[in-house]
Amino acid sequence: MRQAAVRGAFIKRLYSDFGGTCAAGDCPYPSRLPDGTPILQIVYIRSARPGGPRWDPTMTLSEEGAYENLLLLCPSHHELIDRLPDQYNSEWLTSMRQRHIERVTSILASLAGQTAQPSRANRFREALAVWERERLNASEGFWQNLFASRPELLMPTLSGRPYVLNEQCYVGGKSISNRGGRVPDFLAQCHGNAVLIELKTPATKLVGARYRNNVYPPSTELIGACVQALEYRVTLMNYLHSLRHETPELAAHSPTAVVIAGDAHQTRLTEPQRRSFEIFRTSLKDLNIITYDELFLGIENLAAMLDPSSVSVP
């Protein structure tokens, strides 16, 4: 009975310290089933059992079950690290564990510094309900209004950094005829830097028609949004000096552009399409592409971080 109680306490503590999320960084896999059942798995960093991944012959069974030797991982990452124990050794996992706990702590501290009424976790859950209801909505105005009224929803695009969100900001570019001004959808000011956010909709196509040999180029819509966002970035850097005359607090040492577009889950990209899309977006410099389903998965994880006690632990 005592061992079961301790184990239950450890599991609750793990869910709390890990924010109810997989420790493998920006894990794209869900931490719960659609009915809310958690599917994260407890992983031993070092094993006391001969033949087990990362076996340590000096370790006792009690040391194996110590809290500091435990990780929470999704099934996919659990299988990966156990299949490649030489690459993902105990030192690597210990470092990953510490980074993840620090990241969760930082995000929670950032959230605590923002307005807490109504409950931030409740606001996230309300937004998730909107997402499930409106994910087929192809109106840019609808999503613009949603993010403007709930700026905390953009936190997953900003790596958890505290920020001040500004909507429809002029970043320069006007000619002598007063034309051609650049106005991104959102500008987030993050501790001495800026993030320029260009919104499309979940209905935005991510890839175009097959080019050849199972290669799929980005869709025209996505390419256009990417170039637009990068144009904002270049314009902001070119006009930064003059903009700071009116807005002295504006800082943009190395701004990042973000495009939020598409719904990879709803679109059901084939494996070749997904491969082409990932190759494209990971090769970009100064620009991040995040799909709406990825964004709202991040929001779901943030809701779990804020209220891990609401997760029923298996």
Side-chain angles (χ1 to χ4, degrees):
M1 181 71 83
R2 173 64 178 163
Q3 289 181 342
V6 171
R7 181 172 174 77
F10 274 4
I11 295 175
K12 284 287 187 182
R13 184 179 171 189
L14 277 171
Y15 266 81
S16 177
D17 288 352
F18 283 64
T21 57
C22 175
D26 298 316
C27 174
Y29 304 111
S31 57
R32 292 180 296 282
L33 297 176
D35 64 2
T37 302
I39 58 175
L40 296 178
Q41 299 174 347
I42 296 176
V43 179
Y44 297 109
I45 294 176
R46 293 185 297 149
S47 174
R49 295 170 174 78
R54 301 168 300 281
W55 174 46
D56 183 347
T58 68
M59 172 170 273
T60 66
L61 287 176
S62 61
E63 290 173 333
E64 179 185 61
Y67 176 75
E68 292 73 17
N69 193 51
L70 304 179
L71 275 173
L72 271 184
L73 291 176
C74 70
S76 297
H77 280 109
H78 187 178
E79 190 275 336
L80 174 66
I81 67 163
D82 282 358
R83 180 160 43 88
L84 302 171
D86 292 335
Q87 180 175 344
Y88 302 105
N89 56 36
S90 58
E91 290 78 13
W92 194 93
L93 293 180
T94 298
S95 177
M96 179 181 73
R97 182 186 193 276
Q98 184 62 32
R99 289 196 306 272
H100 185 69
I101 291 176
E102 290 175 353
R103 179 172 180 269
V104 169
T105 301
S106 174
I107 290 174
L108 291 178
S110 172
L111 287 168
Q114 300 181 34
T115 303
Q117 297 297 331
S119 161
R120 187 70 64 184
N122 287 339
R123 284 175 64 85
F124 283 145
R125 293 191 188 95
E126 290 167 3
L128 288 168
V130 173
W131 163 241
E132 289 303 322
R133 186 174 67 247
E134 301 286 348
R135 70 188 300 165
L136 299 180
N137 193 319
S139 167
E140 288 188 25
F142 173 85
W143 298 104
Q144 177 89 26
N145 291 334
L146 177 66
F147 293 124
S149 64
R150 297 174 181 262
E152 67 272 15
L153 299 183
L154 293 172
M155 180 168 280
T157 71
L158 304 170
S159 303
R161 290 173 288 173
Y163 61 95
V164 175
L165 191 69
N166 302 283
E167 185 182 6
Q168 297 281 305
C169 292
Y170 170 70
V171 294
K174 286 188 178 180
S175 66
I176 58 174
S177 62
N178 204 34
R179 295 179 179 177
R182 307 288 192 266
V183 182
D185 291 321
F186 294 102
L187 185 148
Q189 186 71 45
C190 305
H191 281 329
N193 211 350
V195 178
L196 299 153
I197 301 173
E198 174 71 4
L199 283 181
K200 300 304 289 182
T201 77
T204 300
K205 291 182 63 177
L206 296 174
V207 297
R210 184 170 69 92
Y211 176 61
R212 62 177 64 164
N213 296 331
N214 283 330
V215 172
Y216 291 82
S219 71
T220 303
E221 292 175 279
L222 183 59
I223 285 289
C226 290
V227 174
Q228 182 77 72
L230 289 172
E231 181 73 25
Y232 293 146
R233 182 184 186 276
V234 171
T235 303
L236 175 61
M237 295 301 291
N238 289 341
Y239 284 81
L240 184 60
H241 180 73
S242 59
L243 290 169
R244 291 184 69 176
H245 282 296
E246 294 185 8
T247 313
E249 68 276 12
L250 177 62
H253 299 294
S254 182
T256 300
V258 174
V259 170
I260 303 174
D263 182 349
H265 179 76
Q266 188 76 17
T267 305
R268 300 190 185 281
L269 297 177
T270 65
E271 183 59 32
Q273 288 174 328
R274 186 79 199 205
R275 173 181 168 80
S276 293
F277 173 62
E278 295 296 344
I279 289 174
F280 169 69
R281 72 168 170 175
T282 55
S283 68
L284 297 173
K285 182 179 180 295
D286 303 320
L287 175 70
N288 295 326
I289 300 173
I290 183 169
T291 62
Y292 273 80
D293 53 315
E294 292 169 336
L295 175 64
F296 280 94
L297 176 58
I299 292 166
E300 183 179 0
N301 289 338
L302 285 172
M305 288 182 189
L306 283 169
D307 189 14
S309 62
S310 67
V311 179
S312 57
V313 177

